[in-house]
Amino acid sequence: MTSTFSERVEAMRGGTIGSRSGSSGSDLGAKLRRTFLGGAALLAVLVLLPTTVTYINPGHVGIVIHRAGGGVDSKALPPGLHMRNPLTTGIEEYPTFMQTLVLTRTSGEGSRSNDEINVNSVEGQPVSLDVSMSFELDPMKVPALYQTFRTDINTIQHSYVKQAIRQALQEVVGNEEIAAIIGPKKSEATNRAQALLEKRLSPYGIVVKQFTINELRAPSSVIEAINQKNVMQQQALTAQNELQKNQFQAQGDSIKAAGRAKAIMAEAEAQARANELLARSITPTLVQYEMSKRWNGQMPQVSGSAMPMIQLPKQ
């Protein structure tokens, strides 16, 4: 009985110790699980936290795109820090500072390829142009611009904007002679094309600041014909100027001759008038008086019965 009781006591002691050992193991596992979950949560927060804050650079605006449905907020985000939900929204950054689109034959001026503009003059002659356009984006209209084209501004430049430039130049150049576009009407054509671009691009928030035609290229035969025409016009102008010079000189000589003739005539008339007045003033008494003033009182030594003439001394 005693032995049996002792065995039972030992057995009870052993059961108690085992129970306590099992409970300690269970608590440790729970703590490890909680620590793991807390670390995972912290790691997730650290990973997702940067995506919840968006920084918009100066000279740019942010377009808020809703991933569910693909809608776009009508108001763009200004430069600075902005909070967002990275799971439901995306941000597309667009530049609003002044940019310059260069469309040229060569690729050394900012163009990715041969982007020259080809149009035809009113005679049907082909004309190639290198152009550039400086523009800005209206921040208020950038969301609508993105919603319309659904792409970046660089792609828009080399697609829609390039086509708008080609259309404007065709409307302008297509109504003018090629010699006029290359020569005296180049500046006018540039201004007209810029006005058309301003009208067509402004609804999309593309504000045209300056449009320039940098170079025009026409077929060599057309250029040669224009040069020959210019030479002939210059020669004709030179001949006309020489003719006018000769005419002016002849008119001047004629005026001078008429003036001399008039002067001579006036002098002759004055002399004749003077002679007439002098003749009227001479009378026999005046002549005798003048003779007597010059007589020295000596009679001349002559023979004959005629009355001697009084010889007036020479002065």
Side-chain angles (χ1 to χ4, degrees):
M1 292 288 294
T2 303
S3 176
T4 303
F5 179 79
S6 299
E7 291 178 354
R8 290 180 178 178
V9 170
E10 291 295 331
M12 290 177 63
R13 290 178 177 177
T16 303
I17 294 173
S19 175
R20 290 178 178 178
S21 177
S23 176
S24 299
S26 176
D27 292 342
L28 180 61
K31 289 181 179 179
L32 290 175
R33 285 194 298 271
R34 286 196 298 271
T35 302
F36 176 77
L37 292 175
L42 179 60
L43 180 62
V45 170
L46 293 176
V47 171
L48 294 177
L49 182 60
T51 62
T52 62
V53 179
T54 298
Y55 177 71
I56 306 299
N57 291 286
H60 295 71
V61 293
I63 304 169
V64 181
I65 305 170
H66 299 280
R67 301 188 190 280
V72 176
D73 280 359
S74 60
K75 185 177 180 180
L77 298 177
L81 292 172
H82 302 275
M83 300 295 296
R84 72 182 181 95
N85 186 342
L87 299 178
T88 60
T89 59
I91 303 295
E92 186 73 23
E93 192 169 332
Y94 254 54
T96 56
F97 55 83
M98 184 178 294
Q99 305 173 69
T100 300
L101 172 63
V102 179
L103 301 175
T104 177
R105 171 182 290 182
T106 61
S107 58
E109 298 184 19
S111 176
R112 298 176 298 180
S113 60
N114 182 1
D115 285 329
E116 65 181 349
I117 304 297
N118 297 303
V119 295
N120 295 317
S121 66
V122 70
E123 307 98 331
Q125 293 290 344
V127 181
S128 299
L129 304 99
D130 292 345
V131 302
S132 59
M133 188 187 79
S134 297
F135 67 95
E136 295 177 353
L137 296 182
D138 183 353
M140 302 297 293
K141 296 183 179 181
V142 167
L145 175 68
Y146 178 81
Q147 192 165 12
T148 300
F149 295 98
R150 291 285 176 169
T151 186
D152 60 275
I153 187 60
N154 189 58
T155 303
I156 296 174
Q157 289 183 54
H158 287 86
S159 56
Y160 178 77
V161 175
K162 179 180 178 180
Q163 181 58 33
I165 292 174
R166 179 183 289 108
Q167 182 179 357
L169 287 172
Q170 181 58 65
E171 291 182 17
V172 174
V173 177
N175 290 320
E176 298 290 347
E177 295 180 355
I178 188 170
I181 292 295
I182 295 177
K185 287 192 174 183
K186 179 181 177 181
S187 178
E188 178 184 344
T190 302
N191 294 335
R192 288 167 57 193
Q194 179 171 339
L196 289 174
L197 289 171
E198 291 173 354
K199 180 179 179 181
R200 291 171 182 171
L201 297 179
S202 61
Y204 299 98
I206 302 175
V207 182
V208 179
K209 293 296 184 178
Q210 182 177 3
F211 178 75
T212 306
I213 297 177
N214 300 315
E215 185 177 351
L216 296 94
R217 291 178 293 274
S220 56
S221 57
V222 174
I223 297 298
E224 183 178 357
I226 292 174
N227 291 336
Q228 291 179 352
K229 180 180 179 182
N230 291 337
V231 170
M232 294 177 62
Q233 289 178 342
Q234 186 62 39
Q235 291 176 346
L237 181 61
T238 301
Q240 183 179 2
N241 291 338
E242 188 66 24
L243 178 60
Q244 290 180 349
K245 178 181 177 181
N246 294 335
Q247 290 177 345
F248 291 152
Q249 185 174 357
Q251 291 176 358
D253 294 342
S254 176
I255 293 173
K256 290 180 180 179
R260 288 196 299 271
K262 187 175 182 180
I264 293 172
M265 180 65 70
E267 184 178 357
E269 290 178 353
Q271 187 62 46
R273 181 65 177 167
N275 293 339
E276 181 181 358
L277 294 175
L278 182 60
R280 291 179 181 177
S281 64
I282 297 176
T283 61
T285 303
L286 180 60
V287 173
Q288 189 65 31
Y289 172 74
E290 289 294 335
M291 291 176 64
S292 65
K293 286 196 304 181
R294 290 171 174 78
W295 183 41
N296 58 7
Q298 297 180 358
M299 295 297 292
Q301 303 297 320
V302 295
S303 61
S305 58
M307 181 179 179
M309 292 290 294
I310 297 176
Q311 297 295 327
L312 299 176
K314 295 182 180 180
Q315 294 181 352

